[in-house]
Amino acid sequence: MTPFAGIRVLVVEDEGAIALLIEEMLEDLGCEVVASVARLTAAQDRASTAHIDLAVLDVNLAGERVFPVAQILRDRGIAFLFSTGYGASGVPAEFAGYPVLHKPFSESELQHKIGLALKGSTTICSGLGS
């Protein structure tokens, strides 16, 4: 059995080759890629409506920042992580606690960050009711 069998994922990445690579890695880990989008508007729509467990968010989408998508996911209690070539310094303070994958990354790094994101989502959601 793969580490994240059945986890439904939204991929938000504007570089086609990178999106395909991420999708392949996710599938190798047992995840189901529900959707892969490249633009902010489409990402916001999917983040608002898709039945997902996790999202992988590229910070820079064709010059637009992905943070409105992160806000939607946070409001819905859905786990997410950032993917960026800028490192953690490219993520605003309000999202500082979320995992950041530094491009380029390996499948094992992705696996580790997914684990952190899913664990963090559980912690965040359980803290909301207290």
Side-chain angles (χ1 to χ4, degrees), residues 13-130:
E13 170 62 59
D14 65 339
E15 295 291 333
I18 296 172
L20 286 173
L21 182 63
I22 293 170
E23 291 168 28
E24 287 176 10
M25 288 181 184
L26 289 167
E27 289 168 358
D28 287 347
L29 294 171
C31 298
E32 174 192 342
V33 177
V34 172
S36 184
V37 296
R39 297 293 180 253
L40 184 62
T41 304
Q44 288 173 295
D45 179 56
R46 292 298 177 114
S48 297
T49 60
H51 186 61
I52 56 173
D53 304 302
L54 173 74
V56 178
L57 308 175
D58 180 12
V59 169
N60 184 352
L61 298 173
E64 295 184 287
R65 299 295 185 210
V66 77
F67 305 117
V69 177
Q71 183 63 52
I72 291 166
L73 294 167
R74 183 167 62 185
D75 291 348
R76 291 185 65 199
I78 295 171
F80 61 91
L81 59 95
F82 296 107
S83 167
T84 179
Y86 303 109
S89 63
V91 176
E94 71 178 297
F95 296 111
Y98 292 86
V100 177
L101 266 170
H102 303 274
K103 291 179 184 175
F105 53 85
S106 68
E107 188 172 307
S108 63
E109 290 169 315
L110 176 62
Q111 180 177 346
H112 175 70
K113 297 296 183 171
I114 289 172
L116 292 175
L118 292 172
K119 180 181 176 188
S121 175
T122 303
T123 304
I124 291 165
C125 290
S126 64
L128 292 176
S130 24

